[in-house]
Amino acid sequence: MTTKELPAKYLRLLAEKYPTLASVAERIICLESQLALPKGSEHFLSDLHGEYESFYHILNNSSGVIAEKVEYVFGEFMTESEKAEFCTLIYYPREKIEELHKKGLDTPEWYRETIAHLLEVAKLMTYKYPARKVKGFIQKDYADVLTELLYSRPEQDSAQARYVASTMAMIVQIDCGALFVEAFSNLIKRLACATIHIVGDFFDRGARPDAIIDNLIAYHDIDIQWGNHDVLWMGAGLGSRVAIAAVIRNSLRYNNTDVLERGYGISLRALTTFARRAYPDESPVKACEKAVNMIMLKLEGALIDRNPDFQMQSRHLLETIDYNSCYCRMNGRRYELESAYFPTIDPKDPYRLTEEENAIIDDLVTYFTESARLQQHLDFLYKKGSLYKTCNGNLLFHGCVPLEKDGSFAAVTMEGRTYHGRAYFDYCEQRTRRAYLQRREEDLDFLWFLWCGRLSPCSGREVKTFERSLLTDESTWKEPSDPYFKLIDRPEICSAILAEFGLKETGHIINGHVPVKVKKGESPIKAGGKAIVVDGGFAKAYHKKTGIAGYTLISNSRGLRLLAHSKVADVKAALAGNQDIESVSETIEIQSRRQTVGDTDEGRIMREEINDLHALLRAYQNGILT
């Protein structure tokens, strides 16, 4: 880019940020040098489903990366038990020091030795980052001391060795060893992972999705691709009556009402009182589930009526019930019901809510929309989230790209216009954001559709809530899915999808949503590595189905590898016995050369800035600007 290609107005605006020739030159040098550094590590996880303790441990040990670095530095100098204890200290420094203090093991000598070991690991992990960025990663109160230690070279000079030894001694002498151990541990965890991508579904099944989000709100670099359970909660937080009913029904079904009551301060008292009267022979939880399930099915019926675009008329099922007997009719067949007891339904008008049901759902809308913590989390999901993301040649989304059986992109008509492929994703995201800004009923309805619609890119399957909750015949529970889930095994389909989103054939599709049944021989790696499904079943409810406890996909300067977590220790297990994550690593792709920042999307943006800065530099040098 030449100076003439940049408008004078833009040059003047750029000059406000860089007012001198020296400031421009310094910025160009800094950016150019960063392009040559190794690419930072990206971690991809999906379908966390509220499993806070497992996720918290994986976050702290950076999916096993920290243990690998400790092995690299101290493999020959520490025993296995010493390395395990040292890793636990990095993961949970405050808790581990408290444990050692009770045993009288946190001596001055231990602090000096431990800080020296932490310094060695931290030094190794700083090589991917420029010095000024590393200083920004350090807790402000300790930045000067830690920076001095990180860039010291005691092995090369005796004066440097004395300087480091003196610094260490003073830290311990003034009784600040614990503070610096924690500061170093936090720095190491920060250096271990440059970016986390959460490919959908914080919510459902597990008890504490709210705690997971609390941990990630302050995370240094994170993006989110909304999952179907996320958009359901987003709809509930925005006041959708049907989404609220579905959220409560799911929470009761999986016995995880903690997230409602403790997490977000949402009271179920009115629902519980009503349910006990309506279903006196059931346990309180089961009675509540039945009561809110009926409310949900009624609200769904009205929603489907007012949204023919969703093509979900087949889910109009309450009118198929013979309320005088114990069966319903679907597709010309008779199916037995679990119960013929429907105290809240008027057979002549099955989708009408009773006055008390209306009052209950209105009360719950108030709780959801006035929960300050839920609204904070909702803002976070919108700020950091999107329906899909293209990043460093990879395409990230939660569910599927709706396809026809022949592999062509399915045409979906919404609001009078027809969309397919990327255009459909863009439309869905725009409408999801419109729901947040305007909160109109039709857009809140759309969030419910994204949760369970067959044509939804977040779902891609026909969710059988009616059948699973009311029918005894389990053959009716099977949920027909979009052809995408079978066709993704074909390389040419993956290539077509990547091209649709403007990516090269060398890229990868990374998504979650469908748990990989490893124990049945399924592989998360599809189409020879073109597509990778990172749903390994974090939720304990899935462990028997998948045979593992989750996946982490890691992309670093050397390539792609997938970690299958066979066992994830929780905090108590880690502290009690220095137990760690047990993972099996599988290399998916090795780069022919080490990837640098210059090979990334960030590098492309930096090059654009460098070109602009060169134009400004020439303007200064030629006297066009002073």
Side-chain angles (χ1 to χ4, degrees), residues 44-49 197-201 225-230 387 395-401 457-461 484-485 488 509-516 522-524 526 531-538 542 551 553 562:
F44 304 81
L45 301 101
S46 84
D47 298 89
L48 306 177
H49 287 306
H197 308 280
I198 305 294
V199 195
D201 276 356
Q225 292 71 56
W226 299 317
N228 58 319
H229 290 284
D230 299 327
L387 203 63
L395 172 61
L396 285 59
F397 58 85
H398 178 70
C400 68
V401 179
C458 296
S459 173
R461 67 172 183 259
Y484 168 89
F485 297 105
I488 198 64
I509 296 169
I510 301 170
N511 66 285
H513 190 49
V514 180
V516 180
E522 286 187 12
S523 171
K526 313 291 184 183
I532 306 156
V533 181
V534 289
D535 183 0
F538 265 99
Y542 283 133
Y551 285 120
L553 178 67
L562 187 68

Side-chain angles (χ1 to χ4, degrees), residues 123 151-161:
K123 279 186 174 182
Y151 293 99
S152 65
R153 292 293 178 265
E155 70 281 359
Q156 296 178 5
D157 183 81
S158 59
Q160 280 276 298

Side-chain angles (χ1 to χ4, degrees), residues 71-253:
E71 178 65 32
Y72 181 85
V73 177
F74 298 113
E76 298 179 3
F77 305 103
M78 288 184 180
T79 65
E80 292 303 315
S81 61
E82 287 172 339
K83 284 181 283 190
E85 183 158 34
F86 183 57
C87 285
T88 303
L89 175 73
I90 296 173
Y91 308 153
Y92 308 106
R94 191 173 299 176
E95 295 87 345
K96 191 65 178 175
I97 288 173
E98 285 179 5
E99 180 186 282
L100 293 170
H101 182 71
K102 290 176 182 176
K103 298 176 182 178
L105 299 176
D106 58 336
T107 62
E109 182 181 355
W110 177 87
Y111 275 117
R112 284 193 294 269
E113 183 178 282
T114 299
I115 292 172
H117 288 161
L118 290 168
L119 176 59
E120 289 305 303
V121 176
K123 279 186 174 182
L124 171 70
M125 297 175 73
T126 59
Y127 76 93
K128 286 188 176 184
Y129 302 94
R132 60 182 183 79
K133 187 172 281 190
V134 171
K135 188 171 182 179
F137 296 162
I138 302 171
Q139 290 171 249
K140 189 176 180 180
D141 292 341
Y142 313 106
D144 289 342
V145 176
L146 264 63
T147 302
E148 288 290 322
L149 290 172
L150 282 170
Y151 293 99
S152 65
R153 292 293 178 265
E155 70 281 359
Q156 296 178 5
D157 183 81
S158 59
Q160 280 276 298
R162 289 193 299 273
Y163 173 67
V164 171
S166 175
T167 304
M168 298 281 200
M170 184 54 61
I171 289 171
V172 176
Q173 184 180 328
I174 62 174
D175 199 22
C176 288
L179 297 175
F180 278 84
V181 166
E182 186 172 356
F184 260 123
S185 298
N186 291 338
L187 174 62
I188 288 168
K189 287 183 280 194
R190 172 63 184 84
L191 294 167
C193 177
T195 305
I196 284 184
H197 308 280
I198 305 294
V199 195
D201 276 356
F202 288 97
F203 296 92
D204 194 44
R205 291 174 172 79
R208 296 306 305 274
D210 57 306
I212 294 176
I213 294 175
D214 277 342
N215 266 270
L216 292 177
I217 282 177
Y219 200 78
H220 52 271
D221 192 358
I222 181 173
D223 57 72
I224 299 160
Q225 292 71 56
W226 299 317
N228 58 319
H229 290 284
D230 299 327
V231 290
L232 180 66
W233 271 84
M234 287 155 66
L238 293 173
S240 165
R241 301 170 96 219
V242 65
I244 288 170
V247 159
I248 293 173
R249 179 253 186 197
N250 292 347
S251 296
L252 289 164
R253 190 171 183 83

Side-chain angles (χ1 to χ4, degrees), residues 539-554:
K540 292 175 183 175
Y542 283 133
H543 289 184
K544 290 183 179 179
K545 184 185 292 186
T546 62
I548 60 171
Y551 285 120
T552 302
L553 178 67
I554 298 178

Side-chain angles (χ1 to χ4, degrees), residues 317-361:
L317 295 171
L318 286 181
E319 67 263 38
T320 68
I321 296 175
D322 185 322
Y323 290 95
N324 294 318
S325 302
C326 195
Y327 71 89
C328 73
R329 287 195 174 274
M330 295 190 304
N331 302 318
R333 289 189 57 189
R334 173 174 169 155
Y335 294 97
E336 300 303 317
L337 298 169
E338 278 190 349
S339 169
Y341 181 61
F342 298 101
T344 64
I345 287 184
D346 177 0
K348 296 178 182 179
D349 190 3
Y351 294 102
R352 183 178 59 82
L353 293 178
T354 67
E355 284 187 18
E356 194 166 2
E357 286 175 322
N358 256 317
I360 288 167
I361 200 68

